[in-house]
Amino acid sequence: MTHARRTERWQSWSLRRRVGRVVLHIILLTLAITFLAPMVWMVLTSLKKNADVFITPIRWLPKVPQWQNYREIFEVLPLTSFIRNSFFVTILGTLGTVVSSLVVAYSLSRLRWRGREFVFNSLLATMMLPGIVVLVPQFIMFFKVGWIDKFEPLIVPAWFGNSFYIFMLRQFMRGLPLELDEAARIDGATSFRILVQLITPMCKPAITAVIIFAGMSFYNDFMGPLLYLSSNDKFTLPLGIYWYQGRYGQFWHLVMAASTVSVLPLVTLFFVAQKHFVQGFTF
């Protein structure tokens, strides 16, 4: 093959590659706009007057930003209480999920005991059960112990592990050499000390992924608070905004302002810990 022919083929391949990248970037940009449009509309609507929300033709930008809408939602809603309750449930629920799932995953991956595989397979089988199947039995159980209109039904189950997170952590731990445990035991370390001082620091990527998924799940949970909470002062943010929308749904500018406040912690957390988010989702 002549030099001119090789050059022509290389230029043709390079052109196709550049065109492919342009097409890919256009597709990704279109998807990004599609996903961001509702959030942008929510934020802009929160800065409008209520009369300007549904005018036609649609006006995206408010003539004069109504920053007082954010002050007003704190006056008409116990929003501070909703935020406090959401953070309380999220922090304790996420902590319980990480601790319990880590301990169970360590036992299923690093310790040898009879029936370990049967227990693990049974654990995986519970992932096949739709959540709606156990909803009524759980409600009856929490009703019998007097936990209705309390935070315990939202937090306590997290301290007994989660099958999906246990599976994630177990698979990660199985990739760590068992020789590390044996060397630590020769030095006199107990299983608990091995877990805390040796395995846990090496599982940071997996633990970060669990924290991300569990934290978002608890913070955005709507069904749990809807079932177990009835007092307004105990509502979390999703349930509190839903309650306000049901009573004052005609004030959409305030509903959007409250929704913007509810997503602000997640957006802030993402930008602050963006590196860990990417590592967690990549894992």
Side-chain angles (χ1 to χ4, degrees):
M1 183 183 295
T2 63
H3 177 71
R5 181 64 174 173
R6 288 197 301 267
T7 302
E8 182 181 350
R9 292 192 61 180
W10 183 86
Q11 290 176 347
S12 176
W13 175 83
S14 179
L15 178 61
R16 289 197 302 269
R17 185 180 180 185
R18 286 197 296 268
V19 171
R21 285 184 175 181
V22 170
V23 173
L24 178 62
H25 280 79
I26 292 175
I27 294 174
L28 294 177
L29 182 61
T30 303
L31 291 175
I33 293 174
T34 303
F35 286 115
L36 287 176
M39 180 174 291
V40 173
W41 174 256
M42 176 185 69
V43 175
L44 294 178
T45 302
S46 69
L47 297 174
K48 295 178 181 179
K49 295 181 180 179
N50 195 44
D52 297 334
V53 174
F54 294 110
I55 61 174
T56 53
I58 295 176
R59 183 186 300 155
W60 280 80
L61 297 176
K63 286 185 177 180
V64 180
Q66 305 296 311
W67 297 104
Q68 66 273 14
N69 291 345
Y70 288 93
R71 184 183 68 251
E72 187 174 350
I73 60 173
F74 281 92
E75 295 174 352
V76 301
L77 270 176
L79 204 59
T80 304
S81 176
F82 295 163
I83 295 173
R84 182 176 62 250
N85 295 338
S86 288
F87 275 94
F88 177 74
V89 171
T90 300
I91 292 173
L92 290 185
T94 303
L95 179 62
T97 299
V98 172
V99 172
S100 58
S101 299
L102 194 63
V103 171
V104 176
Y106 174 74
S107 174
L108 292 174
S109 61
R110 316 293 291 187
L111 302 181
R112 295 182 178 90
W113 44 279
R114 182 177 298 178
R116 183 181 68 172
E117 294 301 322
F118 173 77
V119 171
F120 177 66
N121 292 330
S122 301
L123 187 70
L124 289 183
T126 63
M127 296 173 60
M128 309 302 171
L129 291 175
I132 195 68
V133 172
V134 297
L135 202 60
V136 174
Q138 280 184 344
F139 182 86
I140 294 175
M141 180 179 66
F142 292 137
F143 177 79
K144 293 293 185 180
V145 298
W147 282 359
I148 301 302
D149 198 26
K150 295 182 179 180
F151 292 123
E152 280 83 351
L154 308 178
I155 298 173
V156 172
W159 288 86
F160 290 88
N162 180 285
S163 55
F164 176 67
Y165 302 134
I166 292 173
F167 171 74
M168 288 177 58
L169 292 170
R170 175 186 180 270
Q171 297 307 107
F172 189 90
M173 290 181 185
R174 284 173 63 89
L176 303 177
L178 286 173
E179 290 78 5
L180 297 173
D181 299 44
E182 296 171 357
R185 292 188 190 280
I186 293 175
D187 291 336
T190 62
S191 296
F192 179 77
R193 186 176 179 183
I194 293 174
L195 171 62
V196 174
Q197 296 185 352
L198 182 64
I199 301 300
T200 299
M202 300 178 66
C203 291
K204 283 184 179 180
I207 294 174
T208 301
V210 172
I211 292 175
I212 292 172
F213 291 130
M216 293 178 62
S217 176
F218 281 105
Y219 187 80
N220 293 320
D221 185 26
F222 174 76
M223 183 59 69
L226 179 64
L227 284 174
Y228 301 115
L229 302 180
S230 56
S231 301
N232 294 349
D233 61 333
K234 295 182 180 178
F235 285 174
T236 57
L237 269 172
L239 185 59
I241 294 174
Y242 174 77
W243 167 75
Y244 178 77
Q245 189 270 334
R247 295 190 60 182
Y248 308 101
Q250 67 273 24
F251 302 111
W252 283 103
H253 62 310
L254 298 183
V255 174
M256 294 302 170
S259 301
T260 302
V261 171
S262 70
V263 302
L264 192 60
L266 292 179
V267 174
T268 304
L269 179 63
F270 174 78
F271 284 106
V272 171
Q274 186 175 5
K275 177 182 177 181
H276 298 288
F277 268 81
V278 174
Q279 289 179 347
F281 281 109
T282 301
F283 165 76

